[in-house]
């Protein structure tokens, strides 16, 4: 049963899946996009991180609302309501996404750890992180994973927010961010990258499976889920804003523009000259925490999606289908192995161009697909009921989100094919 009329203390106690989704969603790509944009345009574009967090909240809240209303995951909803083609489009994207993003997360973890302990190479550190992450997921249960994510996100926020506050007082940086907010010439692509990147993409779907681990089912949990997600995306937006403030304060102010994950490491080195060695190491630890929690979240959450696909493909009865959605399932463990081992090859070679192009084309269409289906499916009163149906504000935000991601999809596909 839920506790829709409970106290704030009970709501705070219930926090968990949202914290996990926040820690998973803030990864190397988000940090890089925030750092690059801040270094180029300063405080003028800090607002983009907040907008990105709002958009991802709207999408994840819609996903959770569908599951509370129907008792089915969004993937099950796609197959049941849109047809089995959605299932096969999803598995193509899932397999490609897992390989490419798995390799990127392993590489980012290796880079962050190497910056802290350079005695081992980026590749060796990447292998260690991938295998340790798989072992943690394999040995532990969901509640252990959730506690670990809470610990890590605490470290991330103390270090990165601490550095941002050290560089400039909250009142001062808030004033600059508001007074200088604008759309600088040539900044549109960078701003859209920040908005589209903050908070993850495919990882949003993991929230539905973590809801099931908590047994959050039915309308009585709606307020709890919304509070959980509000806290999640407040933290996500705050973290991205802090990185942009740091970048604007120490890079843009000196005319230094960075790019890529190594640019984030470069920012840490420059930070040591501004606030000393403590700030330098705090930032590196925060960066490492951000990328390692992303890896842990992907390793733990994404195999559920594959198990869900297998259950749908086999057309299993509901009870047998549910048995697959378990960390002890052979399908879960098999996909965890796929996430943690094959992508290691990307540490040794350039990414195959054909795989990248295919991944970009298929993957670029996923976020518009997610926004479009939530706009359609959650607007059907006969499917979700009047209590869970999209309201006018939600419809407006989903339409704007759909337009944004369609533009980003067009831009990504064009860039990949040129």
């Amino acid at each position: 049963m839920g506790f829709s009329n409970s106290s704030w203390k009970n709501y705070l106690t219930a926090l968990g899946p949202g914290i996990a989704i926040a820690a998973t969603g803030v990864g190397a790509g988000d940090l890089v996009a925030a750092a690059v944009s801040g270094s180029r345009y300063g405080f003028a574009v800090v607002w983009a991180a907040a907008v990105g967090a709002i958009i991802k909240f709207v999408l994840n809240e819609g996903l959770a609302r569908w599951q509370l209303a129907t008792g089915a995951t969004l993937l099950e909803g796609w197959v049941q309501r849109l047809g089995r083609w959605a299932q096969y489009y999803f598995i193509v994207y899932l397999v490609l996404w897992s390989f490419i993003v798995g390799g990127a997360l392993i590489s980012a973890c290796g880079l962050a750890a190497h910056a802290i302990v350079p005695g081992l190479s980026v590749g060796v550190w990447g292998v260690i992180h991938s295998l340790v992450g798989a072992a943690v997921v394999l040995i532990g249960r969901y509640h252990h994973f959730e506690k670990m994510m809470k610990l890590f996100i605490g470290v991330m926020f103390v270090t990165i927010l601490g550095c941002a506050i050290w560089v400039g007082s909250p009142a001062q940086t808030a004033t600059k961010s508001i007074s200088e907010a604008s759309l600088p010439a040539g900044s549109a692509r960078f701003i859209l990258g920040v908005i589209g990147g903050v908070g993850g993409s495919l990882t949003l779907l993991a929230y539905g499976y973590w809801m099931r681990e908590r047994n959050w089912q039915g309308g009585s949990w709606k307020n709890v889920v919304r509070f959980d997600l509000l806290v999640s995306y407040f933290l996500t937006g705050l973290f991205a804003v802090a990185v942009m403030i740091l970048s604007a304060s120490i890079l843009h102010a000196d005319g230094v523009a960075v790019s890529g994950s190594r640019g984030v490491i470069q920012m840490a080195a420059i930070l040591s000259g501004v606030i000393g060695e403590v700030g330098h190491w705090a930032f590196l630890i925060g960066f490492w925490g951000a990328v390692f929690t992303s890896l842990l979240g992907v390793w733990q959450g994404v195999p559920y999606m594959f198990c869900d696909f297998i259950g749908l493909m086999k057309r299993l009865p509901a009870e047998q289908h549910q048995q697959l959605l378990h960390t002890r399932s052979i399908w879960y463990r098999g996909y965890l192995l796929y996430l943690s081992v094959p992508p290691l090859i990307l540490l040794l070679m350039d990414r195959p161009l054909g795989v990248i192009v295919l991944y970009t084309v298929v993957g670029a269409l996923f976020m518009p697909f997610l926004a479009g289906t939530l706009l359609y499916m959650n607007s059907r009163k006969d499917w979700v009921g009047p209590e869970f149906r999209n309201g006018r504000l939600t419809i407006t935000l989903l339409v704007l989100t759909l337009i944004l991601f369609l533009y980003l999809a067009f831009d990504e596909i064009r860039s990949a094919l040129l």
Side-chain angles (χ1 to χ4, degrees), residues 34 72 96 101 139 184 209 211 220 278 313 324 370:
L96 290 170
V101 173
I139 295 170
Y209 302 97
M211 283 172 59
S220 60
V278 173
M313 184 186 71
L324 287 185
L370 175 60

Side-chain angles (χ1 to χ4, degrees), residues 254-418:
D254 292 336
V256 177
V258 298
S259 61
S261 296
R262 295 191 180 277
V264 178
I265 302 299
Q266 180 186 353
M267 185 165 75
I270 297 173
L271 190 63
S272 66
V274 178
I275 60 177
E277 284 298 305
V278 173
H280 170 73
W281 289 109
F283 184 85
L284 285 179
I285 291 169
F287 175 54
W288 171 78
V291 295
F292 187 50
T293 52
S294 287
L295 183 144
L296 278 177
V298 168
W299 271 214
Q300 207 283 339
V302 171
Y304 286 118
M305 304 175 199
F306 181 72
C307 293
D308 209 358
F309 166 80
I310 294 296
L312 290 166
M313 184 186 71
K314 289 176 170 287
R315 303 176 188 263
L316 295 177
E319 185 177 346
Q320 293 181 32
H321 190 150
Q322 287 303 310
Q323 290 174 358
L324 287 185
L325 298 175
H326 195 283
T327 56
R328 297 295 183 260
S329 161
I330 189 172
W331 295 103
Y332 182 98
R333 294 182 172 190
Y335 205 77
L336 175 60
L337 183 68
Y338 170 70
L339 276 166
S340 57
V341 177
L344 293 174
I345 195 172
L346 296 179
L347 293 172
L348 306 175
M349 58 183 290
D350 292 333
R351 299 180 190 177
L353 180 60
V355 173
I356 293 294
V357 171
L358 180 59
Y359 162 75
T360 301
V361 172
V362 176
L365 298 174
F366 177 74
M367 293 305 286
F369 176 72
L370 175 60
T373 53
L374 287 174
L375 180 63
Y376 172 64
M377 293 163 64
N378 281 352
S379 295
R380 292 284 300 266
K381 186 169 65 172
D382 55 330
W383 289 356
V384 297
E387 179 187 357
F388 291 95
R389 188 172 55 170
N390 289 329
R392 291 181 181 178
L393 177 60
T394 300
I395 290 173
T396 301
L397 291 173
L398 282 172
V399 169
L400 293 175
T401 299
L402 178 60
I403 294 170
L404 166 67
F405 283 118
L406 283 173
Y407 174 81
L408 288 174
F410 170 76
D411 189 61
E412 284 187 36
I413 293 171
R414 183 183 61 181
S415 298
L417 296 178
L418 289 179

